[in-house]
Amino acid sequence: MPENQRTKLLIARKVPAAVAQRAVAEFHAFVTDADMDAWSVVDFCKQHAVPAVLVGKKSGLQAEHIAALPDCVKIIANASAGVDHLDVAAARERGIVVTNAPDALTECTADLSMLLVLAACRRASEYERIMRGGWGKSFGMTDMLGTRVNGKTLGIVGFGRIGRAVARRALGFGMRVIYTDINRAAPSVENGATWYASFEEMLPHCEVLTLHVPGGGAPLMTKKEFGRLPKGAVFINAARGGLVDEDALYDALTSGHLFGAGLDVYRNEPNVDKRFASLDNVFLTPHMASATVETRDQMGFTALDNVAAVLDGRPALNRV
């Protein structure tokens, strides 16, 4: 087969049609119709000598897989922001570039985070169930009361792209924004938010708390941290399920210490702890922060842009 017609890219996860079409046109890509596992990726790379792979969670390459890849592989492209399903250090040791798509998810993740804030504060899950059940009775002035969003203090853990995008949206709802991060952000992007150098010091001031930091390591939110939140606070997580001790969260929700929670991510996805589904004061979504047509297309296009750069001998646009 002529070099310009050779398969240069394996897409090992299902991607939107627009992404698949571009991949085939530009790279003569092989596009899977079902998510491949990691060893299947290794076998394909060996058989077809492809220089680039686009992987997902199921095809996440760990050290043993990366060690088995043929030398032809130059780039492992990831179409999401998180790379906790990849052993980046092992890839780096082999001289393989790993890329992600950090900007593509920002706006829609921030949108969904604000959806979780509003839904948890205003008891959206309960209201929706009432309506689907046929309503059937009037509610009085003291019934089914939520908690007001306007005027609340929103604490943001992690003031990167997504954290700052959430802050902008929160200002539109009249919230006061405080945040904690390793370093204080430049005044030009703080937009009036108040920085706390200490996570523990910030917690007692958070009427709503939302997480926007990478996963990995020990849980950030344990019984101690939930206990430092003021009584009646609302907890939001659209970052990573591993950031939360779910037993501690369940206890905080059932004890009445937390008013409610909005969750898009969980420790054992997709097998969520069923206790949360039984709670009226939790609004649940199935890890869907990036699930819009526009964002999923952009995630795939960003991965392809990185593949094109590396195969052309240029620096990757989003090297991890």
Side-chain angles (χ1 to χ4, degrees):
M1 178 182 295
E3 175 62 25
N4 63 357
Q5 294 181 18
R6 186 171 67 85
T7 297
K8 297 179 181 178
L9 171 63
L10 165 63
I11 296 188
R13 66 178 304 180
K14 293 185 70 173
V15 294
V19 177
Q21 289 165 7
R22 178 183 160 190
V24 171
E26 292 187 20
F27 305 102
H28 296 280
F30 175 86
V31 183
T32 184
D33 57 3
D35 289 4
M36 298 169 64
D37 62 35
W39 285 116
S40 295
V41 170
V42 172
D43 291 342
F44 188 97
C45 291
K46 287 179 176 179
Q47 292 174 24
H48 300 278
V50 294
V53 295
L54 190 159
V55 299
K57 188 172 183 179
K58 185 176 180 181
S59 51
L61 299 169
Q62 299 305 310
E64 63 268 29
H65 310 118
I66 291 170
L69 287 172
D71 292 338
C72 60
V73 177
K74 305 300 180 187
I75 175 173
I76 300 169
N78 187 43
S80 62
V83 291
D84 44 322
H85 57 296
L86 298 170
D87 192 324
V88 178
R92 188 177 296 121
E93 287 179 5
R94 289 212 55 193
I96 300 173
V97 175
V98 176
T99 65
N100 67 347
D103 296 316
L105 297 82
T106 298
E107 300 303 329
C108 279
T109 301
D111 285 348
L112 188 116
S113 297
M114 282 307 301
L115 168 67
L116 295 176
V117 171
L118 295 166
C121 288
R122 294 302 307 272
R123 301 175 68 160
S125 180
E126 293 172 87
Y127 295 169
E128 204 261 354
R129 285 199 295 271
I130 287 169
M131 295 308 298
R132 288 189 182 275
W135 194 357
K137 71 171 184 176
S138 298
F139 292 108
M141 196 170 179
T142 59
D143 296 328
M144 298 298 295
L145 304 183
T147 186
R148 181 173 170 173
V149 173
N150 177 272
K152 289 288 193 297
T153 296
L154 174 67
I156 298 175
V157 184
F159 209 61
R161 297 176 181 87
I162 297 172
R164 295 195 300 270
V166 171
R168 292 194 299 272
R169 285 155 175 78
L171 291 176
F173 284 90
M175 303 185 83
R176 173 178 176 250
V177 178
I178 60 179
Y179 75 96
T180 187
D181 209 324
I182 297 173
N183 297 305
R184 182 174 180 175
S188 60
V189 298
E190 274 189 327
N191 202 17
T194 300
W195 176 59
Y196 281 79
S198 165
F199 173 50
E200 290 76 14
E201 183 184 351
M202 185 184 80
L203 286 173
H205 304 282
C206 300
E207 294 169 294
V208 181
L209 178 71
T210 182
L211 307 184
H212 299 289
V213 291
L220 179 69
M221 295 298 299
T222 68
K223 181 178 180 179
K224 175 184 174 183
E225 285 75 29
F226 283 117
R228 290 187 65 82
L229 289 170
K231 182 175 174 58
V234 171
F235 175 70
I236 306 298
N237 189 12
R240 285 290 184 266
L243 294 168
V244 179
D245 177 335
E246 291 187 341
D247 288 331
L249 173 57
Y250 181 82
D251 290 344
L253 287 163
T254 53
S255 70
H257 184 69
L258 290 181
F259 177 83
L263 307 174
D264 186 50
V265 291
Y266 312 89
R267 291 195 69 86
N268 188 31
E269 298 179 10
N271 301 307
V272 63
D273 187 329
K274 293 182 180 179
R275 292 179 299 173
F276 292 112
S278 71
L279 299 180
D280 286 335
N281 59 341
V282 183
F283 185 84
L284 306 167
T285 54
H287 202 147
M288 288 292 174
S290 66
T292 66
V293 172
E294 298 88 347
T295 291
R296 292 286 171 86
D297 281 352
Q298 187 56 51
M299 290 164 64
F301 292 152
T302 299
L304 297 183
D305 290 343
N306 279 290
V307 169
V310 170
L311 296 190
D312 287 345
R314 295 179 282 115
L317 305 177
N318 306 104
R319 186 167 187 161
V320 179

